[in-house]
Amino acid sequence: MFPDGPAPDPAGSHHERRIRSFQPRRSRVTTGQGEALRRLWPTWGLDIDGLHRLDLGELFGDPAMPVVLEIGFGMGEATAEMAAADPATGILACDVHTPGQGNLLALAERKGLSNVRVANGDAIILLREMLAPDTLAGLRVYFPDPWPKKRHHKRRLIQPEFLDLAATRLAPGAVLHCATDWEPYAEQMLEVLSAHPRFENTQPDGGFAPRPDFRPLTRFEGQGLDKGHLVRDLLFRRA
């Protein structure tokens, strides 16, 4: 459908597969999203093939620009809002949802954002194979799949192994910011992050953080709040 757009499986069999923490979603792409993918992907999009190391300065056209990686951005509304509010920071937004990729590209163009790039594929391969050590100014993981069934807990993204990898790619002092409305996952996140030697909680009491002003209240989050869900934010600094 998109010859020059996001590939169905960009990494293919090039690299070792871990337990997947995401569920690919191939819902219908609207006309506007498809048009954005066709026009903008060659310039603002990239496939996570794991075959080369990214030069973030070259990718964003500014070697001095700090870059934050966002894993899982849904339809991209919050990502676009954060990018507009902080144009001096680049956002490398990673997801596997084709309609969301097209929607974020369309939003970036409509808002005149030059600090957004969209990555398609497995964020683990992106971190492990394509990003150099100490290069990220931050990492955002908002409302990841909670995999609520006990037998699926091993699929949750925030695990010690993931933190080992993330710590090597975050610059010293960079912040890992997680948010979830699934209380059992929030408790696991807090436990795993608190135990990791390379991360320290930004909260003096060692608990959850208030929602920072820079993280927008999304439609998805609002729906959860309407259902009585408690949203938790965790902000941990790479030591």
Side-chain angles (χ1 to χ4, degrees), residues 121-145:
D122 192 332
I124 298 298
I125 294 176
L126 174 63
L127 283 163
R128 190 180 67 204
E129 309 292 345
M130 299 180 69
L131 293 176
D134 300 341
T135 53
L136 292 174
L139 176 57
R140 296 168 181 166
V141 185
Y142 298 156
F143 304 99
D145 195 327

Side-chain angles (χ1 to χ4, degrees), residues 43-100:
T43 304
W44 289 347
L46 66 100
D47 280 319
I48 301 171
D49 57 17
L51 297 178
H52 64 286
R53 182 63 60 86
L54 287 177
D55 182 328
L56 294 179
E58 181 179 338
L59 181 67
F60 284 88
D62 182 355
M65 176 176 279
V67 175
V68 171
L69 173 63
E70 182 178 0
I71 299 178
F73 56 80
M75 295 305 291
E77 294 98 337
T79 305
E81 190 173 335
M82 289 186 290
D86 185 12
T89 297
I91 300 180
L92 178 56
C94 174
D95 210 312
V96 294
H97 188 218
T98 309

Side-chain angles (χ1 to χ4, degrees), residues 177 209-218 221 231-233 235:
H177 181 192
R211 179 176 67 87
D213 292 339
F214 66 80
R215 184 176 73 74
L217 184 68
T218 65
E221 183 176 356
V231 176
R232 297 293 200 179
D233 282 80
L235 287 93

Side-chain angles (χ1 to χ4, degrees), residues 55 61 77 96 102 178 182 187 203:
D55 182 328
E77 294 98 337
V96 294
C178 303
W182 193 259
E187 296 290 348
Q203 303 306 298

